[in-house]
């Protein structure tokens, strides 16, 4: 689609917008193109298309090698579902707007039903193209968070909160179900404070 948009065969090569083509490609894939704009000028439309497809496939293979095929498939499913859901809701809202205003076409001596069908089809095609482009853009940029980092941070915070004045971690006193703690009794969490000053606040 990018090649058809910026490097149309029906247009003379002098009018091709190769700079915009390279910028859009790099925006979607998130990596610089290995071939310069000057080098692209000497290629035919089909050759430019093949070059971009090969480069994007290589970038995708690097992404798959980074996380492995199984994790990459899971990432792809999550990204596709999330973006499709968002775009579909936007599409339904746009269809409501179209339905409300389509009656005005009758003033222009045009059949509102035919106009609605034509524009609805165009909007659906645009939605599909937008889903595809946004999915590719997201897949090349998404990064998995380290799952162990939040757990380690939580353990550290727990240890710091329960640390006694002498620098040792007090032993926790197990509490049985149904055991009532008085307001002035020591807190069952083992902090050494009264219950009303600690967990009973």
């Amino acid at each position: 689609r990018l090649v058809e948009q910026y490097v149309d065969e029906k247009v003379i090569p002098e009018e091709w917008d190769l700079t915009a083509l390279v910028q859009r490609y790099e925006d979607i894939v998130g990596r610089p193109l290995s071939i310069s704009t000057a080098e692209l000028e000497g290629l035919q439309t089909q050759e430019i298309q093949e070059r971009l497809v090969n480069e994007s496939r290589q970038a995708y293979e690097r992404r798959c090698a980074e996380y492995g095929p199984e994790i990459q498939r899971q990432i792809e499913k999550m990204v596709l579902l999330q973006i499709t859901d968002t775009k579909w809701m936007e599409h339904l809202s746009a269809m409501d707007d179209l339905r409300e205003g389509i009656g005005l076409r009758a003033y222009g001596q045009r059949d509102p039903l035919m106009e609605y069908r034509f524009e609805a089809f165009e909007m659906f095609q645009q939605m599909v193209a937008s889903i595809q482009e946004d999915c590719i853009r997201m897949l090349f940029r998404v990064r998995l968070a380290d799952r162990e980092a939040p757990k380690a941070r939580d353990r550290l915070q727990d240890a710091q909160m329960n640390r006694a004045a002498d620098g040792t971690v007090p032993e926790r006193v197990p509490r049985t179900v149904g055991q009532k703690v008085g307001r002035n009794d020591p807190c069952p969490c083992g902090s050494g404070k009264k219950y009303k000053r600690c967990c009973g606040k």
Side-chain angles (χ1 to χ4, degrees), residues 32-87:
L33 192 63
S34 64
I35 184 172
S36 66
T37 307
E39 291 174 301
L40 287 175
E41 290 176 357
L43 302 176
Q44 299 296 322
T45 304
Q46 187 66 27
E47 293 173 327
I48 294 173
Q49 182 174 329
E50 290 173 0
R51 187 63 184 262
L52 293 182
V53 169
N54 289 335
E55 292 241 356
S56 57
R57 285 189 189 280
Q58 290 172 8
Y60 176 72
E61 287 169 4
R62 284 193 290 270
R63 288 286 300 175
C64 289
E66 187 175 349
Y67 293 122
E70 291 183 13
I71 295 178
Q72 183 67 21
R73 294 296 89 76
Q74 292 176 5
I75 293 172
E76 289 168 4
K77 286 179 184 177
M78 287 188 292
V79 167
L80 183 59
L81 285 172
Q82 179 183 352
I83 291 178
T84 302
D85 184 54
T86 303
K87 294 292 182 181

Side-chain angles (χ1 to χ4, degrees), residues 42-179:
L43 302 176
Q44 299 296 322
T45 304
Q46 187 66 27
E47 293 173 327
I48 294 173
Q49 182 174 329
E50 290 173 0
R51 187 63 184 262
L52 293 182
V53 169
N54 289 335
E55 292 241 356
S56 57
R57 285 189 189 280
Q58 290 172 8
Y60 176 72
E61 287 169 4
R62 284 193 290 270
R63 288 286 300 175
C64 289
E66 187 175 349
Y67 293 122
E70 291 183 13
I71 295 178
Q72 183 67 21
R73 294 296 89 76
Q74 292 176 5
I75 293 172
E76 289 168 4
K77 286 179 184 177
M78 287 188 292
V79 167
L80 183 59
L81 285 172
Q82 179 183 352
I83 291 178
T84 302
D85 184 54
T86 303
K87 294 292 182 181
W88 180 248
M89 296 301 292
E90 292 174 0
H91 177 70
L92 292 179
S93 177
M95 290 294 292
D96 287 340
D97 295 340
L98 175 63
R99 191 178 300 112
E100 289 176 7
I102 201 68
L104 300 174
R105 306 298 172 88
Y107 292 112
Q109 305 298 319
R110 290 182 290 182
D111 182 10
L113 180 60
M114 294 301 296
E115 289 289 316
Y116 178 80
R117 287 177 177 172
F118 175 75
E119 290 199 27
F121 178 75
E122 288 293 319
M123 289 167 63
F124 183 80
Q125 295 291 91
Q126 290 173 6
M127 179 195 69
V128 172
S130 178
I131 288 172
Q132 293 171 342
E133 185 172 319
D134 286 1
C135 280
I136 293 172
R137 182 182 284 109
M138 180 71 74
L139 283 172
F140 279 116
R141 285 169 172 73
V142 70
R143 290 283 182 269
L144 292 182
D146 185 3
R147 295 181 182 178
E148 292 301 318
K151 293 179 182 177
R153 186 173 61 248
D154 293 342
R155 286 194 297 269
L156 179 61
Q157 288 176 349
D158 289 343
Q160 289 173 343
M161 287 175 63
N162 297 323
R163 193 168 298 280
D166 59 356
T168 62
V169 178
E171 189 177 330
R172 289 187 179 271
V173 179
R175 180 181 175 189
T176 59
V177 177
Q179 178 184 359

